[in-house]
Amino acid sequence: MNPGDELPPLRIPITRTLIVAGAVASRDYQDVHHDAELAREKGSPDVFMNILTTNGLVGRYVTDHFGPRAVLRKVAIRLGAPNHPGDTMVLTGTVTDVDGDTASVRVVGANGLGHHVTGTVTVEVTR
Protein backbone atom coordinates (compact mmCIF):
# COMPACT_ATOMS: atom_id res chain seq x y z
CA MET A 1 0.00 0.00 0.00
CA ASN A 2 1.43 3.31 -1.10
CA PRO A 3 -0.15 6.72 -1.59
CA GLY A 4 -1.12 7.09 -5.23
CA ASP A 5 -1.79 3.37 -5.77
CA GLU A 6 -4.89 2.89 -7.87
CA LEU A 7 -7.36 0.06 -7.34
CA PRO A 8 -8.54 -1.65 -10.53
CA PRO A 9 -12.00 -0.51 -11.63
CA LEU A 10 -14.98 -2.66 -10.71
CA ARG A 11 -17.98 -2.62 -13.07
CA ILE A 12 -21.29 -3.40 -11.37
CA PRO A 13 -24.38 -3.87 -13.55
CA ILE A 14 -27.29 -2.15 -11.85
CA THR A 15 -30.22 -4.55 -12.04
CA ARG A 16 -33.70 -4.26 -10.61
CA THR A 17 -32.95 -7.39 -8.58
CA LEU A 18 -29.81 -5.84 -7.06
CA ILE A 19 -31.72 -2.69 -6.09
CA VAL A 20 -34.70 -4.51 -4.57
CA ALA A 21 -32.61 -7.21 -2.85
CA GLY A 22 -30.32 -4.59 -1.32
CA ALA A 23 -33.26 -2.62 0.01
CA VAL A 24 -34.95 -5.69 1.47
CA ALA A 25 -31.71 -7.02 2.98
CA SER A 26 -31.17 -3.70 4.74
CA ARG A 27 -34.84 -3.49 5.78
CA ASP A 28 -35.39 -0.33 3.76
CA TYR A 29 -38.98 -0.70 2.61
CA GLN A 30 -39.30 2.75 1.03
CA ASP A 31 -41.40 2.25 -2.09
CA VAL A 32 -38.92 4.11 -4.31
CA HIS A 33 -36.53 1.16 -3.91
CA HIS A 34 -38.94 -1.56 -5.07
CA ASP A 35 -42.05 -0.15 -6.78
CA ALA A 36 -41.37 1.48 -10.17
CA GLU A 37 -44.86 2.94 -10.49
CA LEU A 38 -44.73 4.66 -7.09
CA ALA A 39 -41.16 5.81 -7.77
CA ARG A 40 -42.39 7.48 -10.99
CA GLU A 41 -45.27 9.11 -9.09
CA LYS A 42 -42.63 10.65 -6.81
CA GLY A 43 -40.63 12.02 -9.78
CA SER A 44 -38.05 9.30 -10.38
CA PRO A 45 -37.88 7.53 -13.76
CA ASP A 46 -37.62 4.15 -11.97
CA VAL A 47 -36.64 2.55 -8.68
CA PHE A 48 -33.20 3.53 -7.39
CA MET A 49 -30.54 2.05 -5.13
CA ASN A 50 -30.51 2.90 -1.44
CA ILE A 51 -27.45 4.17 0.42
CA LEU A 52 -27.00 0.99 2.44
CA THR A 53 -26.59 -1.09 -0.73
CA THR A 54 -24.13 1.46 -2.08
CA ASN A 55 -22.25 1.39 1.23
CA GLY A 56 -21.98 -2.39 1.02
CA LEU A 57 -20.72 -2.29 -2.57
CA VAL A 58 -18.07 0.29 -1.67
CA GLY A 59 -16.94 -1.85 1.26
CA ARG A 60 -16.82 -4.95 -0.95
CA TYR A 61 -14.76 -3.08 -3.53
CA VAL A 62 -12.10 -2.15 -0.99
CA THR A 63 -11.97 -5.47 0.88
CA ASP A 64 -11.88 -7.48 -2.35
CA HIS A 65 -8.82 -5.49 -3.38
CA PHE A 66 -6.93 -5.71 -0.08
CA GLY A 67 -7.85 -9.32 0.65
CA PRO A 68 -9.12 -11.41 3.54
CA ARG A 69 -7.00 -9.61 6.15
CA ALA A 70 -8.62 -6.27 5.35
CA VAL A 71 -10.85 -4.74 8.01
CA LEU A 72 -12.94 -1.67 7.27
CA ARG A 73 -12.40 0.92 9.99
CA LYS A 74 -14.47 3.74 8.50
CA VAL A 75 -16.65 4.27 5.44
CA ALA A 76 -17.68 7.87 4.78
CA ILE A 77 -19.67 8.27 1.57
CA ARG A 78 -21.96 10.76 -0.09
CA LEU A 79 -24.55 9.95 -2.74
CA GLY A 80 -25.00 11.90 -5.94
CA ALA A 81 -26.68 10.69 -9.14
CA PRO A 82 -29.06 7.77 -8.54
CA ASN A 83 -28.37 4.21 -9.66
CA HIS A 84 -31.29 3.03 -11.83
CA PRO A 85 -31.83 -0.42 -13.39
CA GLY A 86 -30.08 -0.89 -16.71
CA ASP A 87 -27.09 1.31 -15.88
CA THR A 88 -23.60 0.27 -14.80
CA MET A 89 -21.69 1.72 -11.89
CA VAL A 90 -17.91 1.74 -12.18
CA LEU A 91 -16.07 1.95 -8.89
CA THR A 92 -12.54 3.37 -8.87
CA GLY A 93 -10.22 4.03 -5.95
CA THR A 94 -6.94 5.65 -5.08
CA VAL A 95 -4.89 5.21 -1.92
CA THR A 96 -4.47 8.70 -0.50
CA ASP A 97 -2.66 8.03 2.78
CA VAL A 98 -0.88 5.16 4.52
CA ASP A 99 -0.05 4.96 8.23
CA GLY A 100 1.43 1.61 9.18
CA ASP A 101 -1.18 -1.06 8.43
CA THR A 102 -3.92 1.50 7.76
CA ALA A 103 -4.73 3.15 4.47
CA SER A 104 -7.23 5.77 3.34
CA VAL A 105 -8.79 5.12 -0.05
CA ARG A 106 -10.68 7.73 -2.05
CA VAL A 107 -13.54 5.96 -3.83
CA VAL A 108 -15.74 7.16 -6.70
CA GLY A 109 -18.64 5.24 -8.21
CA ALA A 110 -19.81 6.66 -11.54
CA ASN A 111 -22.78 5.74 -13.71
CA GLY A 112 -24.32 7.15 -16.89
CA LEU A 113 -25.71 10.16 -14.98
CA GLY A 114 -22.49 11.11 -13.18
CA HIS A 115 -21.00 10.32 -9.80
CA HIS A 116 -23.32 8.06 -7.82
CA VAL A 117 -21.04 7.87 -4.79
CA THR A 118 -17.91 9.61 -3.57
CA GLY A 119 -16.11 9.11 -0.32
CA THR A 120 -13.24 7.79 1.71
CA VAL A 121 -12.71 4.34 3.17
CA THR A 122 -10.23 3.66 5.96
CA VAL A 123 -8.99 0.08 5.83
CA GLU A 124 -6.57 -1.80 8.06
CA VAL A 125 -4.64 -4.68 6.51
CA THR A 126 -3.01 -6.85 9.16
CA ARG A 127 0.10 -8.77 8.26
Side-chain angles (χ1 to χ4, degrees):
M1 299 184 300
N2 295 300
D5 286 354
E6 292 186 10
L7 282 64
L10 175 64
R11 298 178 61 81
I12 300 172
I14 306 302
T15 65
R16 188 171 308 279
T17 300
L18 175 62
I19 293 169
V20 173
V24 171
S26 62
R27 297 183 179 182
D28 183 345
Y29 302 114
Q30 291 292 319
D31 52 21
V32 294
H33 302 306
H34 65 84
D35 188 317
E37 184 177 325
L38 291 175
R40 281 190 288 276
E41 286 179 15
K42 294 182 178 180
S44 178
D46 205 336
V47 296
F48 55 90
M49 186 175 285
N50 72 354
I51 192 169
L52 295 172
T53 304
T54 300
N55 197 66
L57 293 170
V58 167
R60 169 194 158 198
Y61 174 58
V62 172
T63 58
D64 280 1
H65 175 74
F66 287 101
R69 294 177 187 238
V71 177
L72 299 178
R73 294 297 179 197
K74 181 177 180 183
V75 177
I77 61 171
R78 174 171 284 178
L79 292 183
N83 269 336
H84 293 290
D87 207 341
T88 299
M89 178 173 65
V90 180
L91 288 166
T92 56
T94 304
V95 176
T96 58
D97 185 57
V98 176
D99 183 11
D101 292 342
T102 303
S104 295
V105 181
R106 177 78 177 149
V107 176
V108 175
N111 62 30
L113 298 174
H115 287 168
H116 169 68
V117 62
T118 56
T120 302
V121 176
T122 304
V123 61
E124 181 180 353
V125 183
T126 59
R127 297 170 200 243

